[in-house]
Amino acid sequence: MASDPLVSAIRARIPAVRLLTEPIDREGYRLDETSYLRAGLPRAVALPTTTQEVVELVRIAAELRVPIVPRGAGTGLSGGAAGIDGALTIAFTAMDRIIEIDRENLVAVVQPGVINAHLKEAVAAQGLFYPPDPASFETCSIGGNLGTNAGGLCCVKYGQTRDSVLSLEVVMADGTIIRTGGRNLKDVAGYSLTHLFIGSQGTLAITTEATLKLRPAPPPRLTMLAFFATLESAGAAVAGLAAAGLSPVTLELLDQFPIAAADDMNDLGLDRTAAAMLMIESDMPGVAATAELEMAEAVCRTAGATDCVRAADTQEADWLRQARRAAHYALERLGEVRMEDVGVPRSRVPEMLRAIESIAARHDVRIGTFGHAGDGNLHPDLVFERGDPTAEAKTEAVKKDLYRAALDLGGTVTGEHGIGSTRREWLEIQRGPDAVRVMRAIKAALDPLGILNPGRVL
Ligand SMILES: Cc1cc2nc3c(=O)[nH]c(=O)nc-3n(C[C@H](O)[C@H](O)[C@H](O)COP(=O)(O)OP(=O)(O)OC[C@H]3O[C@@H](n4cnc5c(N)ncnc54)[C@H](O)[C@@H]3O)c2cc1C
């Protein structure tokens, strides 16, 4: 490896940068959390600490025509940060500084490797709130959240990651540094490059700094669980809550399989006979929160809820929220899990739930569904016996039917995890050839050598 021109150039031109070259070290960067993926082994892994080091890494890679994989915490679920044979992975773990919390303008400036939960804690200590909260928030990074335009549990009220971003500093494919905005809440000068780069999964530019929008911390949440005897009635409640104009901060769904798995893992005393459960939370001030949950309960009961229970206190609410976040891991205790990420308009959630049920039966696959029902974003988790030789073929068949069903309902093949490398053939089916041609033109203009995360998204 000492004679590898990439490694030699990096060592000569940026001797301070940490570089992993041993196979055993590089192996840890082969996969993201899409664990069933077949991915390549990076040729080298660099862990820069400054934007200037990133610039030099990109220049070297461009000169040598070496592909680059930007990587945050590697919790992605579409293979976006997975290794590519012969490529340089740039991991942002060591660029993890919160540079500034500007209380006057309600802004935080951070490096991309900051863990989402660390930013939340730091701003909470000043009475502020950074909303984006993927279920993986304790482990995923802001750079990865920007790369995927991550969603989460409170998107239903506060939007996806993009709704909390004012500006980015990025390194382009030729090593140029640009800033896409400032601290202005309103700024319409030119095209919104900020929004172009968010969700581009490292294929258009590399984020080295982000200026994020904060809010004053909302009051502690009130939490309610509603149980339903059928999936349809839970779906009808989701559609009913949207139609009633309610804006809960959390509107999450679990069907029977993840309810039981979460209950087994956390001993919560959930109603395991229920076909589905909704977790509904309000963070409105004072009595408004109680009023919001009362209205939500009325909608749920009209839709057929068999029981509605409130969390006794904030600690119990934290346990319930934690159990929802861990639903995927609860299912992983039962076998090998492959998570999907379909989305539909909220009014079509009941139909999507019905479609998932019939697809599971048709292919004889156990599917546990949970997700951000308030956004119409559902995660059907396919659970196989470990070592099941039919898992791969069945996954492909189920995915095809799930995606077709979502698209037929006016939905999407991915609500928040991204096209990455796992859903590429569906991009054109969903968006159409003309839209994909525009995307290819943008990619060619910004990355003419095609070195930024090739084979992802497009
Ligand atoms: C249990 C579990 C629960 C999850 N829950 C949610 C959820 O609720 N909502 C949700 O949206 N996702 C969820 N995810 C998926 C994942 O956590 C998110 O996609 C997250 O945003 C990825 O962050 P990361 O730091 O791990 O990024 P990575 O996986 O390392 O990278 C993600 C993408 O961003 C790109 N990227 C990373 N850093 C940069 C950078 N500096 N510049 C340019 N591109 C970059 C990568 O190339 C890749 O394409 C979950 C995952 C798990 C395992």
Side-chain angles (χ1 to χ4, degrees):
M1 188 54 77
S3 61
D4 180 333
L6 174 71
V7 171
S8 307
I10 294 173
R11 290 221 164 111
R13 284 161 57 176
I14 14 177
V17 84
R18 187 158 170 236
L19 193 63
L20 307 180
T21 57
E22 292 300 324
I24 193 168
D25 294 329
R26 290 182 281 131
E27 195 56 52
Y29 295 81
R30 186 190 285 276
L31 290 172
D32 60 6
E33 281 281 332
T34 326
S35 51
Y36 61 90
L37 205 68
R38 281 193 205 92
L41 184 64
R43 179 165 163 186
V45 178
L47 293 103
T49 53
T50 65
T51 299
Q52 270 315 319
E53 287 179 350
V54 178
V55 167
E56 202 54 36
L57 287 166
V58 171
R59 284 194 183 135
I60 292 168
E63 283 162 26
L64 299 174
R65 306 289 194 268
V66 172
I68 295 171
V69 177
R71 182 176 174 107
T75 69
L77 288 166
S78 61
I84 296 176
D85 284 322
L88 170 68
T89 289
I90 302 183
F92 285 91
T93 332
M95 283 181 75
D96 63 347
R97 270 192 317 119
I98 297 174
I99 297 166
E100 186 188 350
I101 296 173
D102 170 358
R103 289 181 57 84
E104 235 181 342
N105 289 302
L106 292 179
V107 156
V109 182
V110 302
Q111 288 189 312
V114 170
I115 297 297
N116 180 305
H118 296 170
L119 177 61
K120 279 186 185 301
E121 279 161 27
V123 302
Q126 302 203 24
L128 301 173
F129 176 50
Y130 174 66
D133 66 341
S136 52
F137 81 115
E138 284 163 318
T139 48
C140 65
S141 72
I142 298 295
N145 295 167
L146 294 162
T148 56
N149 187 18
L153 278 70
C154 71
C155 285
V156 58
K157 181 160 184 175
Y158 295 111
Q160 276 178 279
T161 296
R162 86 159 78 83
D163 298 299
S164 292
V165 183
L166 289 175
S167 168
L168 300 175
E169 175 194 82
V170 296
V171 175
M172 304 302 295
D174 63 357
T176 311
I177 303 172
I178 64 166
R179 274 187 186 275
T180 64
R183 296 181 188 204
N184 308 303
L185 278 181
K186 295 173 76 178
D187 181 351
V188 293
Y191 302 136
S192 175
L193 298 178
T194 311
H195 292 94
L196 176 63
F197 295 139
I198 294 171
S200 65
Q201 297 202 265
T203 60
L204 298 180
I206 299 180
T207 305
T208 46
E209 192 184 287
T211 303
L212 306 171
K213 251 193 259 182
L214 305 175
R215 293 167 179 265
R221 297 172 185 187
L222 291 190
T223 304
M224 179 176 84
L225 300 183
F227 295 91
F228 298 84
T230 64
L231 275 177
E232 282 78 5
S233 50
V238 171
L241 289 162
L246 294 180
S247 178
V249 65
T250 311
L251 176 44
E252 295 286 308
L253 175 140
L254 279 79
D255 78 7
Q256 190 166 35
F257 190 8
I259 292 174
D263 200 40
D264 283 339
M265 191 161 99
N266 302 287
D267 197 17
L268 295 164
L270 301 176
D271 177 0
R272 303 164 66 110
T273 64
M277 175 186 105
L278 292 181
M279 178 179 199
I280 305 171
E281 295 188 297
S282 175
D283 67 353
M284 292 182 77
V287 291
T290 312
E292 189 173 38
L293 282 196
E294 272 165 12
M295 285 162 76
E297 179 170 345
V299 171
C300 289
R301 291 205 183 272
T302 305
T306 50
D307 198 10
C308 293
V309 291
R310 309 274 167 104
D313 50 35
T314 50
Q315 191 182 37
E316 190 174 281
D318 285 347
W319 286 337
L320 294 171
R321 212 173 299 120
Q322 188 52 32
R324 154 58 194 97
R325 287 200 182 106
H328 174 67
Y329 293 120
L331 289 170
E332 270 196 334
R333 291 177 359 136
L334 306 176
E336 185 192 312
V337 173
R338 296 161 181 231
M339 200 201 287
E340 279 308 326
D341 178 40
V342 289
V344 290
R346 285 177 287 195
S347 61
R348 315 297 299 263
V349 167
E351 290 161 89
M352 190 65 221
L353 288 169
R354 218 172 297 132
I356 295 169
E357 214 173 20
S358 74
I359 291 166
R362 190 157 66 243
H363 294 282
D364 189 24
V365 172
R366 296 179 82 195
I367 298 185
T369 299
F370 57 88
H372 318 299
D375 305 323
N377 183 195
L378 299 171
H379 298 310
D381 258 13
L382 286 59
V383 184
F384 296 96
E385 299 279 328
R386 286 182 216 290
D388 179 344
T390 68
E392 192 161 336
K394 280 189 174 174
T395 302
E396 284 314 306
V398 168
K399 262 170 77 170
K400 205 166 149 218
D401 285 2
L402 285 174
Y403 293 174
R404 194 68 274 159
L407 294 182
D408 287 348
L409 292 169
T412 174
V413 300
T414 175
E416 58 184 20
H417 294 164
I419 289 287
S421 60
T422 55
R423 303 183 176 91
R424 279 170 68 208
E425 69 276 23
W426 284 85
L427 181 63
E428 189 161 323
I429 298 170
Q430 177 172 335
R431 294 278 183 232
D434 293 338
V436 172
R437 201 173 324 117
V438 173
M439 292 184 204
R440 286 194 191 286
I442 293 170
K443 169 76 175 168
L446 300 189
D447 179 21
L449 298 176
I451 58 168
L452 292 182
N453 222 359
R456 273 79 205 253
V457 184
L458 291 172

